[in-house]
Amino acid sequence: MARSIWKGSIAFGLVNIPVELHTAVRENRPKFRMLHATDKSPVSYERVCQREGKPVAWEDLVKGYEYDKGSFVVLTKDDFRAAALEKSNSIQIQDFVEPDAIDDRYFETPYYLLPAKGAAGAYALLREAMRTAGRVGIAKMILRDKEHLCAVEAIEEALVLTMMRFEEEVVDISSFEFPAKAEARAKEVDMAVQLVEHLAGEWNPGKYKDEYRENIMGVIDAKLKGQKVEAPVERRERGSNVVDLMSRLQQSLEAARAQGTGQRAKGTQGKREKGKGTGKRAKASKKPKKVA
């Protein structure tokens, strides 16, 4: 089993359950280093003072907050200590809320919570209580000296903790202008609904592949074998044509019918399967894999 990134406890009321936090996602695309073109050596980056144009040693660096263009207030280690929260190894659940009440924009990164030694019974108790109640726990925790808002939900056999954004981090939707409902004409909506229903299907995450990763790894493999790689001829993207919207919808619907790969949406389409999870994102039919 992979090493945990945090150890502590999850608490609700006066109940404390020792747990470990493990990452639930991983970066799957290849990472690249910047190299010197002439000798293929990695390039290091220096911390250069913009005014003097000279490198600055680590011991001569301080942190500053730019409160105005080019104006900074310097913060010392004591300043950061003054602002720091009291360290805690507890994930304190403050509320249990309806999963559908949480806007998906608040969710960030998921982690698996595993029971520590001897805590399996209490862990299962919390998981089944949340599943039966159909609720998601909203909690706070300190990780790497920073306070995080998080959601705790039961997904199959796991308790999954997802880091969340605070309200002030989410851009208010009123900051933008969106088309009014009246701008979508009824006949076009009806045809678009037919297309959506014809392309309806069950959620299967394994169906969707990272084609860019496959392509770039293919290029890397070819170069390792000394093969020549040729870029395809660039194709022009088709511009949008609002006037031609109805004909585009009709063509799309006819093509979907001809392929016969879609299925009509059922009355229960999109509803959460009983026992699969409590959260809006806990709909996958496959058991979550424990990822290092």
Side-chain angles (χ1 to χ4, degrees):
M1 183 185 298
R3 182 180 299 178
S4 64
I5 62 173
W6 181 90
K7 291 183 179 181
S9 63
I10 183 169
F12 65 109
L14 299 178
V15 179
N16 283 273
I17 307 169
V19 292
E20 298 178 355
L21 194 67
H22 291 256
T23 183
V25 294
R26 59 185 173 190
E27 176 58 53
N28 205 27
R29 287 190 174 182
K31 296 182 179 180
F32 300 95
R33 293 281 305 274
M34 298 300 291
L35 307 177
H36 188 194
T38 57
D39 59 9
K40 306 301 183 292
S41 296
V43 176
S44 60
Y45 292 88
E46 293 184 314
R47 301 161 298 280
V48 177
C49 175
Q50 293 183 2
R51 180 177 297 176
E52 298 178 353
K54 297 178 181 179
V56 180
W58 276 110
E59 58 268 22
D60 292 328
L61 293 176
V62 294
K63 290 184 177 180
Y65 173 78
E66 189 172 17
Y67 61 90
D68 203 358
K69 185 67 175 179
S71 298
F72 301 87
V73 56
V74 174
L75 297 179
T76 66
K77 291 182 179 180
D78 287 339
D79 294 327
F80 284 105
R81 279 196 287 267
L85 298 173
E86 182 180 353
K87 289 190 176 182
S88 170
N89 286 332
S90 175
I91 300 167
Q92 185 67 51
I93 295 179
Q94 300 181 1
D95 301 287
F96 287 98
V97 304
E98 293 282 353
D100 289 341
I102 307 173
D103 189 324
D104 281 343
R105 291 173 296 174
Y106 284 90
F107 292 110
E108 280 193 317
T109 309
Y111 295 86
Y112 292 125
L113 284 170
L114 273 66
K117 188 176 181 179
Y123 180 98
L125 173 66
L126 174 59
R127 182 191 64 206
E128 297 310 314
M130 291 175 60
R131 194 193 311 281
T132 302
R135 295 272 174 166
V136 173
I138 303 299
K140 281 187 175 183
M141 69 175 296
I142 305 294
L143 181 63
R144 302 187 183 99
D145 296 325
K146 292 183 180 180
E147 184 181 46
H148 296 269
L149 184 68
C150 51
V152 179
E153 55 189 326
I155 300 180
E156 299 202 13
E157 304 304 313
L159 281 179
V160 176
L161 179 146
T162 303
M163 295 298 180
M164 300 180 70
R165 298 177 178 92
F166 287 99
E167 184 179 29
E168 57 268 23
E169 295 179 272
V170 178
V171 177
D172 193 332
I173 200 169
S174 64
S175 303
F176 306 93
E177 291 185 7
F178 299 96
K181 183 179 179 180
E183 293 191 38
R185 291 178 289 187
K187 189 173 182 180
E188 294 173 349
V189 171
D190 181 64
M191 187 169 292
V193 168
Q194 292 182 54
L195 178 59
V196 170
E197 290 181 342
H198 195 81
L199 296 174
E202 296 293 335
W203 165 242
N204 176 15
K207 175 182 177 182
Y208 310 99
K209 303 297 182 182
D210 186 347
E211 294 184 28
Y212 174 77
R213 179 186 181 278
E214 293 179 354
N215 289 346
I216 197 66
M217 292 306 298
V219 170
I220 291 172
D221 185 59
K223 292 182 76 71
L224 286 172
K225 294 177 180 177
Q227 299 173 357
K228 184 178 180 181
V229 178
E230 294 184 1
V233 178
E234 288 190 17
R235 292 173 294 180
R236 289 186 178 181
E237 292 186 9
R238 290 186 299 179
S240 60
N241 188 341
V242 178
V243 179
D244 201 34
L245 184 58
M246 279 294 289
S247 63
R248 291 282 177 85
L249 282 170
Q250 185 64 48
Q251 291 171 19
S252 300
L253 187 56
E254 290 174 356
R257 287 170 175 165
Q259 291 176 359
T261 55
Q263 63 179 25
R264 303 292 292 182
K266 299 178 182 178
T268 57
Q269 185 76 30
K271 292 186 178 180
R272 183 169 61 251
E273 296 179 42
K274 185 176 180 181
K276 289 296 182 184
T278 57
K280 293 171 74 175
R281 293 155 294 106
K283 299 175 183 176
S285 60
K286 293 185 178 180
K287 189 173 182 179
K289 299 178 181 178
K290 291 179 172 53
V291 183

